Every structure is written in structure tokens, then in C-alpha cells.
């Protein structure tokens, strides 16, 4: 993204966080929701204006569904920000439309490392989109499906785990009672008990630890070859997508945000380096972090522990930093998958009908979950990732 001040000094925190590239596919709607790309305390203080050869500007978004004739095209999009003094900020990005792939029936695999965002079933939607577009030999690989087992028809395997952050995939291992017989001696078993054994049924143990680790002689060690053997017969996947960030930056406050996000970037660098060693030829995509919905959703889930305002500020900071990190790696086979601008911040989040207050007989609709999307929100996430994937296939073949 390119952005610049247009009319004098800006408030210190006011920024545009447009993605550098928005991926589009004929037949799939792509979106830029203005609220999600504007880093400000009060979005309603500003007016947005879009200049682009394609698409339409609505009240809250720019949207476009390309035609087949648009395949392979590239368009510039400029988003300008206004207040009562005039134009104060502008930014640009590229809208790139996937070209027609030469061989949509080629076999390829995708591994997804993610957090609880998978709960809206977007891995399944990616699978459906790929099949709909003729990629009949696209195979999502992973340790489990959304239902914690091998995937049934129409379900996608993946490695999505609630609460996971970048560091989790290289460190998180919660012991369970099933492992006690596997340790070398009673002393090691006693150590595990002192660490805090979680008596977890074997069927749910996978939720507690990274699939990239294993227990060896009572110690937790990295085992990426073992992970690849489990998910893909020992072969590296063709694509690796990482959808993380929300748990990394969730709780931080302004006074420690820069330091904490810098730590997250180091954790991201380490995981990406390990994945690159294990999969030297894989194309990797790192998603930006969705921003969540309104304050009622945050209040429902987190009381006063975290606000919509601060979480959005954290996520916008993360999105800028992770984009910069990916560029700094100098790896042509890794890119950013922009998600944050693609998700409707109102109608793609969970709501509930509830009394306006304890003494009210009037029912109102309010957000009921700060960070987790509806199934329709999952469709938007899946569309954005599938568009990146289809673009890569059109670019490669």
C-alpha cells in the first residue's frame, strides 16, 4: 500500500492499512470494507472515496465481481479520506485478477496452520470453491478436520487450533495422562505431574499441542518430518497458509504494543524459517488479521478485559508489521494474503436478539461474539484465501 498525507498534519494514529494487493477471481465478489482499512478511533468522523476502473463504491465498501473477460487484468485502486477540511489522506493498492490456469486438474496440496478462526468453517469453503472452479485434485492436508477426525466428503483437513499463536506451533505442548506410560521412568512421570497433568481423553488430546512437536524420552522436541508424514505421506505440501495473529496481539495495551508486536514478529520469523526448511519449494501465504466487530461483542466475551478500540488498534499494527516482515524475508515464494479488508465488520459476525436492558421489553439485535465470524463470514474468508490460491495457480501454469 502507498499512502500519503494530502492536506497538512494528520492525527498521530490516523493511518490507512490498505493491502498492497487485492486478489480477485472471475465470479467471486471481492471487497474492501472502509472501516477495516482505516486505523482511527472513530471511523464515522471521515468520508471515503474510491477511484478505480472497476467495481462500485457503496456506503461502507468498494466491491466488485470480475467477469471472465477480466482474467489476468491488473487495476489500480485509490482510496481517499476526507473530513470537513477536505482530502486529508490517500492510499493505493493493486487489484489483480487471476488468469486462467493451464491445467486446473493438476494435483496439489495445501496445509493450513491457524487459530480458532477455522470455527466458521472457511477451510471447507475453500475446498468447495476450488472444486467449483474445476480444481478437482486440490487436496487440503492436515492433522484433523473441524470435527476432530478424518475429513468426510466436503470437509477439509487442516491444523487449526483454538488459542494458538505464532509461538504455539513451535512450543505448545500440554501433557495428558495418556502419555505417562510412555515416559522412561517414574521420575520423569513425577516431573510431568508436577508440571500439571491434564487428564484429557485421547480423542481430544490433539487440541492441546502443536502438531509440529512430539514427545521423545519424556521431552518435547520439534518433529516437522513426522508432521509431514502424518498429513501428506512425508511430502511437503505445495502450499502452506498461515492464519494467525489474533491471539498474539489480543491483550496488549498502548504502552507495550510496539515491544510485544516486535516479539510476535520474531516468533513469526522462526516459524516461517522452520517451515521453509521442511518445505523448501512450497508457496506460502501469510494472512492479515481480521479486526472483529462492535463493542457489544467484545463486552459479551471479555467484559472489560479488552475493548474493540484497543483490539483494532493492535490488529492494525500487527497487519502493518507482518506485511513488512514478509517483504523483508526476500523470499519470492511467500506473500501476504489480505483478509482484514475482505470481511464485513457488521453482517459477518455473530449477533443475538436481546432486551435493550434489564428493564426493557424491547428486543434489539446486538453483537454476541467479538472475534468469531458467522458461516457467511467464513465464506468471505474462504473467498479471499481461495482467490489468492487461484491467482497463484494461474500465475504458475
Amino acid at each position: 500500500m502507498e499512502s500519503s498525507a494530502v492536506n497538512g498534519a494528520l492525527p498521530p494514529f490516523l493511518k490507512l492499512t490498505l493491502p498492497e494487493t487485492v486478489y480477485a477471481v472471475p465470479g467471486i465478489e471481492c471487497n474492501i470494507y472502509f472501516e477495516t482499512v482505516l486505523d482511527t478511533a472513530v471511523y464515522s468522523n471521515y468520508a471515503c472515496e474510491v477511484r478505480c476502473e472497476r467495481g462500485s463504491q457503496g456506503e461502507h465498501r468498494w466491491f466488485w465481481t470480475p467477469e471472465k473477460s477480466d482474467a489476468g487484468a491488473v487495476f489500480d485502486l485509490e482510496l481517499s479520506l476526507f473530513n470537513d477540511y477536505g482530502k486529508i489522506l490517500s492510499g493505493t493498492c493493486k487489484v489483480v485478477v487471476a488468469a486462467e490456469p493451464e491445467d486446473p486438474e493438476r494435483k496439489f496440496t495445501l496445509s493450513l496452520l491457524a487459530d480458532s478462526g477455522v470455527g466458521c468453517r472457511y477451510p471447507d469453503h475453500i475446498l468447495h470453491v476450488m472444486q467449483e472452479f474445476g480444481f478437482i485434485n486440490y487436496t487440503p492436508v492436515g492433522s484433523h478436520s473441524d470435527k476432530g477426525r478424518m475429513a468426510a466428503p466436503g470437509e477439509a483437513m487442516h491444523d487449526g487450533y483454538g488459542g494458538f499463536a505464532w509461538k504455539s506451533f513451535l512450543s505448545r505442548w500440554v501433557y495428558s495422562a495418556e502419555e505417562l506410560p510412555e515416559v522412561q521412568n517414574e521420575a520423569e512421570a513425577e516431573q510431568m505431574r508436577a508440571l500439571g497433568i491434564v487428564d484429557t481423553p485421547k480423542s481430544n488430546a490433539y487440541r492441546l499441542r502443536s502438531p509440529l512437536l512430539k514427545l521423545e524420552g519424556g521431552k518435547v522436541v520439534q518433529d516437522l518430518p513426522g508432521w509431514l508424514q502424518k498429513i501428506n505421506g512425508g511430502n511437503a505440501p505445495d502450499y502452506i497458509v498461515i492464519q494467525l495473529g489474533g491471539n498474539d496481539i489480543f491483550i496488549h495495551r498502548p504502552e507495550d504494543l510496539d515491544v510485544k508486536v516486535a516479539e510476535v514478529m520474531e516468533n513469526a520469523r522462526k516459524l516461517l524459517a522452520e517451515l521453509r526448511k521442511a518445505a523448501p519449494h512450497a508457496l506460502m501465504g501469510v494472512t492479515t488479521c481480521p479486526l472483529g466487530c462492535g463493542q457489544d461483542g467484545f463486552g459479551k466475551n471479555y467484559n472489560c478485559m479488552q475493548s474493540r478500540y484497543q483490539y483494532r488498534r493492535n490488529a492494525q499494527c500487527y497487519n502493518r508489521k507482518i506485511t513488512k516482515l514478509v517483504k523483508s524475508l526476500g523470499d519470492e515464494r511467500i506473500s501476504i494474503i489480505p483478509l482484514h479488508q475482505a470481511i464485513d465488520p457488521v453482517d459477518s459476525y455473530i449477533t443475538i436478539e436481546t432486551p435493550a436492558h434489564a428493564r426493557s421489553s424491547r428486543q434489539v439485535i446486538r453483537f454476541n461474539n467479538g472475534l468469531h465470524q458467522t458461516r457467511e463470514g467464513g465464506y468471505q474468508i474462504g473467498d479471499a484465501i481461495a482467490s489468492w490460491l487461484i491467482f497463484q495457480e494461474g500465475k504458475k501454469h
Side-chain angles (χ1 to χ4, degrees):
M1 179 206 75
E2 299 176 2
S3 62
S4 58
V6 177
N7 188 13
L10 294 172
F13 294 117
L14 181 62
K15 295 181 178 69
L16 281 175
T17 54
L18 274 170
E20 293 186 349
T21 304
V22 173
Y23 297 96
V25 172
I28 297 179
E29 182 184 78
C30 60
N31 294 281
I32 298 176
Y33 287 91
F34 304 143
E35 184 176 353
T36 67
V37 298
L38 182 58
D39 192 357
T40 179
V42 186
Y43 160 70
S44 59
N45 284 344
Y46 303 94
C48 294
E49 182 180 86
V50 174
R51 296 293 185 184
C52 186
E53 294 180 41
R54 296 289 190 274
S56 299
Q57 177 178 339
E59 181 71 20
H60 303 291
R61 62 171 179 154
W62 170 85
F63 58 100
W64 180 44
T65 302
E67 304 287 343
K68 286 186 177 181
S69 59
D70 295 309
V74 179
F75 300 102
D76 292 316
L77 183 146
E78 180 182 27
L79 176 62
S80 297
L81 195 64
F82 295 81
N83 64 11
D84 286 340
Y85 293 96
K87 187 176 182 179
I88 59 171
L89 187 64
S90 67
T92 62
C93 67
K94 297 287 186 183
V95 181
V96 298
V97 187
E100 191 76 23
E102 292 182 5
D103 182 17
E105 295 186 9
R106 88 175 188 99
K107 294 182 178 180
F108 62 98
T109 54
L110 180 143
S111 164
L112 172 68
L113 276 62
D115 56 26
S116 61
V118 296
C120 60
R121 306 291 293 275
Y122 73 79
D124 293 351
H125 183 64
I126 296 171
L127 175 59
H128 297 160
V129 170
M130 298 303 288
Q131 291 174 340
E132 179 183 349
F133 277 75
F135 295 96
I136 59 175
N137 291 312
Y138 161 74
T139 304
V141 297
S143 302
H144 64 90
S145 70
D146 283 326
K147 296 183 179 178
R149 52 164 169 73
M150 294 301 293
E155 295 178 348
M157 298 293 284
H158 58 78
D159 279 298
Y161 302 86
F164 265 47
W166 280 96
K167 187 177 181 180
S168 305
F169 279 96
L170 293 180
S171 64
R172 182 170 176 178
W173 187 280
V174 178
Y175 292 104
S176 60
E178 73 194 61
E179 291 157 338
L180 285 175
E182 299 178 17
V183 298
Q184 292 180 344
N185 54 48
E186 180 57 30
E188 289 180 357
E190 182 57 38
Q191 180 188 38
M192 291 171 65
R193 293 189 187 95
L195 290 172
I197 296 299
V198 179
D199 189 9
T200 304
K202 192 174 183 66
S203 60
N204 286 325
Y206 77 93
R207 299 182 186 275
L208 303 175
R209 72 282 304 265
S210 168
L212 311 186
L213 305 174
K214 70 176 180 179
L215 189 66
E216 186 174 82
K219 297 181 179 179
V220 177
V221 297
Q222 285 187 34
D223 186 23
L224 273 73
W227 171 63
L228 293 178
Q229 184 63 45
K230 178 179 180 179
I231 69 169
N232 200 32
N235 299 311
D238 298 285
Y239 292 92
I240 299 175
V241 171
I242 302 101
Q243 180 262 305
L244 296 169
N247 296 308
D248 294 271
I249 51 85
F250 175 79
I251 201 61
H252 302 317
R253 306 300 300 166
E255 57 270 18
D256 67 354
L257 181 58
D258 288 340
V259 172
K260 295 299 184 180
V261 173
E263 293 175 1
V264 174
M265 292 304 109
E266 281 307 303
N267 293 330
R269 188 187 298 274
K270 290 176 184 177
L271 179 57
L272 291 171
E274 293 301 319
L275 291 171
R276 178 53 78 213
K277 290 177 187 177
H281 304 296
L283 281 171
M284 288 196 253
V286 178
T287 74
T288 54
C289 182
L291 304 183
C293 62
Q295 178 57 43
D296 284 334
F298 282 82
K300 175 64 165 61
N301 296 142
Y302 311 114
N303 297 319
C304 297
M305 186 173 69
Q306 184 56 291
S307 68
R308 168 186 186 261
Y309 160 77
Q310 189 59 53
Y311 179 79
R312 288 170 61 86
R313 180 56 50 81
N314 295 357
Q316 298 280 25
C317 178
Y318 170 87
N319 288 340
R320 291 190 293 269
K321 296 292 187 181
I322 197 67
T323 299
K324 184 177 180 180
L325 172 66
V326 167
K327 291 177 66 176
S328 74
L329 297 176
D331 187 338
E332 294 181 353
R333 301 181 70 80
I334 180 171
S335 59
I336 287 290
I337 304 175
L339 281 190
H340 64 288
Q341 85 296 334
I343 305 169
D344 188 327
V346 176
D347 289 320
S348 284
Y349 285 85
I350 298 167
T351 59
I352 189 173
E353 188 175 34
T354 183
H357 54 80
R359 295 292 189 181
S360 176
S361 60
R362 185 170 69 91
Q363 297 289 305
V364 297
I365 302 297
R366 288 192 173 140
F367 291 115
N368 198 47
N369 194 303
L371 298 179
H372 298 93
Q373 297 81 18
T374 61
R375 192 65 186 271
E376 290 78 10
Y379 294 155
Q380 289 190 308
I381 294 174
D383 285 345
I385 296 176
S387 294
W388 173 84
L389 185 56
I390 294 171
F391 174 82
Q392 300 298 336
E393 282 296 293
K395 181 180 176 183
K396 287 175 57 185
H397 300 286

